[in-house]
Amino acid sequence: MIPPPRSQSLLEKKSMKIAVLGTGKVGTALGTRLAAAGHHVVHGSRTRAGERGILTQREAVASSDVVVTAIPGTDVLSTLEDIGDDVLDAKIVLDPSAAFTPQMTMAYPGDSVGQQIQTRFPRARVVKTLNTMNFTVMVDPLASVPQATAFVSGDDAQAKTVVTGLLADLGWPHDSVLDLGGINTALATEHAAPLFFATVRSLGTATFNISISRHPSGQPR
């Protein structure tokens, strides 16, 4: 008797099915770069479904391995609730979102979008990353900011490994990716937003990123 084929794990896949929620600058930039790296990318939208290459958000997520929440942080939870627990299930959720009030202050003081997703959808495997930078740096880190750091937060080790692989596809060297630990650490990077905007005002550009400079020995001084 021939054994049934073994299902391929996400860690073994060179090409993944990725649903990008959002068709703005962030979603377009991430989707274009990930597709160029060989992944099957579909975009989900509440308002543009039916246009060429754009599905409803529920359709996009249903066919995906990884979900990218490239939408405003204040819309993420309600969007995922509309999609439904049954569709989201245990998928990897890569969350690069930031949540602000109309006055550009923190929408969730003392909390983070990443933590909210993980609490509301405990089966989902949430990974927070790319939320400390402009979209141009997300997809071209070496050309834009040679010493940029991409922070990663999440409770699921396999999900973080998959996301780190996607970061590599976006151009992030392994040494530029810093795993901060569990999803609770997303609070720290999401609350770096006031520093980001203060720096934009000071420099007159958003083409920069936070960079962690380490001692050459790798040991505390």
Side-chain angles (χ1 to χ4, degrees):
M1 181 177 179
I2 300 174
R6 182 173 64 91
S7 61
Q8 190 179 29
S9 76
L10 287 181
L11 294 178
E12 297 172 305
K13 287 188 177 183
K14 293 183 179 179
S15 176
M16 283 182 283
K17 296 177 181 179
I18 300 174
V20 177
L21 303 182
T23 55
K25 292 180 179 179
V26 174
T28 299
L30 290 174
T32 299
R33 186 63 184 267
L34 290 170
H39 299 288
H40 178 70
V41 176
V42 294
H43 287 267
S45 173
R46 281 178 172 170
T47 59
R48 296 180 58 190
E51 295 183 24
R52 184 176 180 180
I54 302 177
L55 306 176
T56 67
Q57 292 171 332
R58 185 177 172 87
E59 290 170 337
V61 171
S63 64
S64 71
D65 300 314
V66 178
V67 181
V68 181
T69 55
I71 54 180
T74 49
D75 294 338
V76 168
L77 207 60
S78 61
T79 296
L80 295 179
E81 287 177 336
D82 287 344
I83 290 168
D85 299 65
D86 58 323
V87 176
L88 193 62
D89 195 38
K91 295 183 187 293
I92 293 174
V93 179
L94 191 167
D95 177 37
S97 72
F100 309 110
T101 68
Q103 294 74 37
M104 298 307 290
T105 59
M106 301 305 300
Y108 308 122
D111 199 358
S112 71
V113 179
Q115 288 175 292
Q116 289 182 12
I117 301 170
Q118 192 63 82
T119 299
R120 172 60 183 81
F121 300 94
R123 283 182 51 79
R125 297 181 289 168
V126 184
V127 180
K128 189 80 185 187
T129 190
L130 298 176
N131 59 299
T132 58
M133 64 198 75
N134 179 264
F135 71 95
T136 57
V137 181
M138 293 180 185
V139 298
D140 199 4
L142 294 184
S144 303
V145 188
Q147 296 179 332
T149 299
F151 301 99
V152 173
S153 301
D155 294 337
D156 188 286
Q158 185 190 58
K160 287 196 286 189
T161 298
V162 169
V163 168
T164 299
L166 294 178
L167 291 177
D169 291 337
L170 294 173
W172 288 90
H174 179 75
D175 290 346
S176 295
V177 179
L178 181 58
D179 185 345
L180 295 179
I183 195 62
N184 61 302
T185 63
L187 175 69
T189 58
E190 290 194 31
H191 284 64
L195 173 61
F196 177 87
F197 288 118
T199 305
V200 169
R201 290 191 293 271
S202 179
L203 297 180
T205 178
T207 308
F208 66 89
N209 188 33
I210 297 170
S211 176
I212 301 301
S213 180
R214 313 180 202 196
H215 190 265
S217 69
Q219 301 296 322
R221 300 184 67 176

